[in-house]
Amino acid sequence: QVQLVESGGGLAQPGGSLRLACTASGFTFSNYAMSWARQAPGKGYEWMTGISTDSRQTYSIDSVKGRFTISRDNAKNTLYLQLNNLKPEDTALYFCAKGKGVTVSAVLGEYDYWGQGTQVTVSS
């Protein structure tokens, strides 16, 4: 069965960094677009960034461009998210999501499997 397991969350100070990982199993990881989304306290899910199967194309929302970097290692079946220059408004539960195909989409309905999430808290 498909499994996505996130790790690497925690407490960071404003301006700090974290690196999230998402380990995938139960499907051919290299055949699917992948994305990261988040849910801030009291808010809905927000798609943040996605990556194509071969890593040649990445897409991000404006609020994380230049601060967050998505990457993947198909040999290790792992998706990454490097978070730099963190801000208090980045506090959220972060999820990785498997695309339904090769196309990266900002539409959450285009993702069919999600991890359980890893908490990122940014506070001084």
Side-chain angles (χ1 to χ4, degrees):
Q1 67 279 21
V2 173
Q3 284 193 316
L4 299 171
V5 180
E6 301 95 337
S7 61
L11 176 64
Q13 292 188 338
S17 298
L18 287 171
R19 190 190 194 204
L20 308 185
C22 169
T23 303
S25 61
F27 65 102
T28 304
F29 182 73
S30 59
N31 286 355
Y32 295 91
M34 297 291 295
S35 284
W36 288 94
R38 65 185 177 186
Q39 185 181 30
K43 296 187 177 181
Y45 291 92
E46 176 186 43
W47 177 88
M48 289 190 300
T49 182
I51 188 168
S52 62
T53 56
D54 59 4
S55 301
R56 290 185 179 182
Q57 296 171 316
T58 62
Y59 306 90
S60 302
I61 57 175
D62 287 345
S63 61
V64 306
K65 282 180 181 176
R67 300 191 300 124
F68 294 2
T69 303
I70 188 172
S71 62
R72 66 191 295 164
D73 186 335
N74 287 342
K76 295 182 178 180
N77 290 347
T78 303
L79 178 73
Y80 300 99
L81 184 65
Q82 178 68 41
L83 296 85
N84 295 330
N85 191 20
L86 282 161
K87 303 176 180 181
E89 53 263 42
D90 294 320
T91 295
L93 191 60
Y94 283 68
F95 301 88
C96 64
K98 170 189 167 294
K100 291 180 178 178
V102 298
T103 301
V104 178
S105 174
V107 177
L108 297 178
E110 293 301 314
Y111 296 87
D112 52 7
Y113 289 92
W114 296 71
Q116 82 289 349
T118 186
Q119 179 67 40
V120 171
T121 302
V122 184
S123 175
S124 56

